[in-house]
Amino acid sequence: MERSVVAFSSKSDYKDAFKEVLKTINSEKQTPKLIVFFAEAADMWYYAAEFKKNFPEAVSVGSSTQMTISSEGTKQKGLCALAVFSGIECACGALYEVDRHPRNYILHVKSAMSQLSSLENTCCLEFTNAFSKGEELVLDTFYVAFRDFNIPVIGGSSGNTDGSTRTIVALNGDIFVNTCVFVLIKNLNGKIAIHKEHMFKPSKKIFTVTDVDCEDRIVYEYDHKNPAEVLSNALHVSMDGLPNVLSAHPMGRVMGDDILVSEFENINYDGSISYFSQIYNYTKLVLMDQDNLEEVWERSDSQIKSKIASCSFAIIVNCKSRTDMFIHDNVLDKFVSNLKINLPNFICLSGFGEQYNRDNLNQTMVVLMFE
């Protein structure tokens, strides 16, 4: 019997898709302890209810996604699920009002912590509604709860397929907005490893943020100058052409030896720039250039091998912008094939943000791996 199984359906009818996924899970003739699932937002209500109905003893947690991506296939619409049958303990909960006061619900995190036999070899997987601008507040809440324990946090901001701002997260049969759903997973059969990857390298153009609205994620000044003018001059493009090139040249937040990617959301009428993650005043940002994708994937392959010798299953969050680029460049299948070399069983959320410990990231892939 397998420890886990990835179930995938490309069927557009949600009832047919669930039947196909259910058949795959039931074929293992075991009761899941954990089910993680991704689907389009419009169908999340049905999948959440059906997973709860068919597996009432399992923790079932999910998120809407831009498209379904897994080791078993990819599709713009459909359903993918990871069912884990053995070798784990898990406990779950939710943080509400993520745009304002998720810290009010920190006892939900502590309650989940108390349900595990120990907190050794434990991680936190979380999914947060996109466009809430609450990811940093959520991560601060987990930091306070976990600061005396070595519990890594990996997760993502949910996605959608229709270009709207409506996204859905799900937990144990219910669906939510303005919420973070989470599950603590203790691996009993090996270690837990995490990995992150982005496709950029730093340029030599570095700027200091001199005026910013952190909560609304709007930069008003780089080096006391209009940010749109600063970046158009740095990239040698017109103001009108700036939106077309900024996705290929995001800003990097320098954190010691690490660089955290922030993607622009809008260029506003006054030349200020809105981002998908918080940027803080008087921090230094470096303008990023695209790296060689093949070399990036080779480095990731080597790093993943060094972190975990034999991966049983993995949960991946891949930024929507990366997925869009892979589709545009016709390399999505190669992306999946590269992942399968070291991660034979995985499912992937394609959403609007990636969370890695205390950091909210953009245009990045984060990977949670279980030995």
Side-chain angles (χ1 to χ4, degrees):
M1 294 187 294
E2 297 293 333
R3 183 187 179 196
S4 66
V5 65
V6 170
F8 171 80
S9 176
S10 62
K11 296 184 182 297
S12 57
D13 180 86
Y14 58 84
K15 292 184 179 179
D16 291 340
F18 186 80
K19 287 179 183 177
E20 188 171 12
V21 165
L22 182 63
K23 182 179 179 180
T24 300
I25 296 174
N26 283 337
S27 69
E28 295 297 319
K29 301 186 184 304
Q30 304 178 73
T31 300
K33 293 180 178 294
L34 172 67
I35 297 172
V36 183
F37 65 97
F38 305 134
E40 61 180 317
D43 298 335
M44 286 293 291
W45 66 273
Y46 182 79
Y47 297 138
E50 287 298 309
F51 278 124
K52 179 65 176 178
K53 175 182 174 182
N54 284 274
F55 306 107
E57 296 180 2
V59 171
S60 55
V61 60
S63 171
S64 59
T65 184
Q66 173 206 14
M67 70 181 302
T68 51
I69 303 173
S70 75
S71 52
E72 297 302 309
T74 64
K75 188 71 175 180
Q76 187 66 49
K77 294 185 178 181
L79 170 65
C80 64
L82 169 73
V84 185
F85 302 105
S86 63
I88 63 167
E89 293 178 12
C90 52
C92 61
L95 303 175
Y96 307 112
E97 299 181 277
V98 297
D99 61 339
R100 297 180 62 195
H101 303 301
R103 183 79 68 85
N104 288 348
Y105 305 94
I106 194 171
L107 289 181
H108 295 188
V109 183
K110 294 182 178 181
S111 174
M113 295 167 69
S114 70
Q115 295 173 44
L116 300 179
S117 60
S118 80
L119 296 176
E120 294 181 357
N121 214 32
T122 297
C123 65
C124 177
L125 173 67
E126 56 82 18
F127 305 121
T128 300
N129 287 118
F131 306 108
S132 63
K133 298 183 180 179
E135 289 91 345
E136 286 86 1
L137 296 175
V138 164
L139 293 175
D140 283 346
T141 302
F142 286 127
Y143 172 74
V144 171
F146 299 153
R147 60 186 165 191
D148 295 328
F149 308 93
N150 185 27
I151 299 179
V153 178
I154 291 289
S157 308
S158 45
N160 58 33
T161 57
D162 60 6
S164 73
T165 58
R166 176 172 170 79
T167 67
I168 299 294
V169 295
L171 181 66
N172 291 343
D174 295 318
I175 61 172
F176 303 93
V177 296
N178 199 28
T179 298
C180 168
V181 295
F182 68 89
V183 55
L184 303 183
I185 309 170
K186 177 179 175 64
N187 193 11
L188 305 174
N189 289 1
K191 65 182 179 181
I192 296 170
I194 59 176
H195 175 71
K196 69 180 174 72
E197 167 195 292
H198 63 72
M199 306 174 296
F200 304 98
K201 57 186 178 182
S203 72
K204 295 182 179 180
K205 299 168 183 176
I206 299 174
F207 311 98
T208 300
V209 180
T210 49
D211 189 9
V212 63
D213 184 330
C214 293
E215 291 187 2
D216 280 340
R217 302 172 174 174
I218 301 173
V219 173
Y220 290 100
E221 289 182 358
Y222 286 133
D223 297 313
H224 302 287
K225 299 175 183 177
N226 183 282
E229 292 179 2
V230 168
L231 295 185
S232 64
N233 290 333
L235 292 168
H236 306 292
V237 297
S238 67
M239 292 284 281
D240 290 340
L242 186 60
N244 297 326
V245 299
L246 276 189
S247 290
H249 298 277
M251 302 304 288
R253 294 172 278 157
V254 181
M255 302 289 288
D257 294 332
D258 201 5
I259 295 179
L260 312 177
V261 178
S262 288
E263 181 181 9
F264 95 103
E265 182 178 8
N266 292 303
I267 299 176
N268 305 311
Y269 72 94
D270 59 355
S272 62
I273 301 178
S274 300
Y275 289 88
F276 280 108
S277 54
Q278 283 187 356
I279 292 173
Y280 303 99
N281 212 15
Y282 295 103
T283 56
K284 291 189 180 298
L285 300 183
V286 59
L287 191 64
M288 306 294 283
D289 294 330
Q290 286 191 319
D291 205 347
N292 182 285
L293 188 56
E294 292 291 341
E295 293 179 2
V296 170
W297 284 348
E298 286 180 9
R299 287 196 297 268
S300 272
D301 180 63
S302 176
Q303 291 167 8
I304 287 173
K305 286 179 181 176
S306 69
K307 290 177 180 179
I308 195 159
S310 178
C311 183
S312 176
F313 60 90
I315 301 155
I316 299 172
V317 179
N318 188 60
C319 181
K320 175 186 180 296
S321 294
R322 284 170 51 100
T323 304
D324 287 341
M325 191 202 79
F326 295 160
I327 294 171
H328 179 269
D329 294 346
N330 198 30
V331 295
L332 182 62
D333 289 343
K334 188 170 186 179
F335 167 70
V336 172
S337 296
N338 283 350
L339 289 173
K340 287 176 67 173
I341 294 171
N342 293 310
L343 310 174
N345 264 11
F346 74 84
I347 61 171
C348 177
L349 166 66
S350 181
F352 289 97
E354 304 77 55
Q355 287 88 59
Y356 184 92
N357 289 325
R358 292 198 70 183
D359 300 314
N360 183 37
L361 312 171
N362 308 131
Q363 292 181 281
T364 300
M365 176 185 73
V366 295
V367 187
L368 177 60
M369 301 170 284
F370 294 81
E371 192 175 34

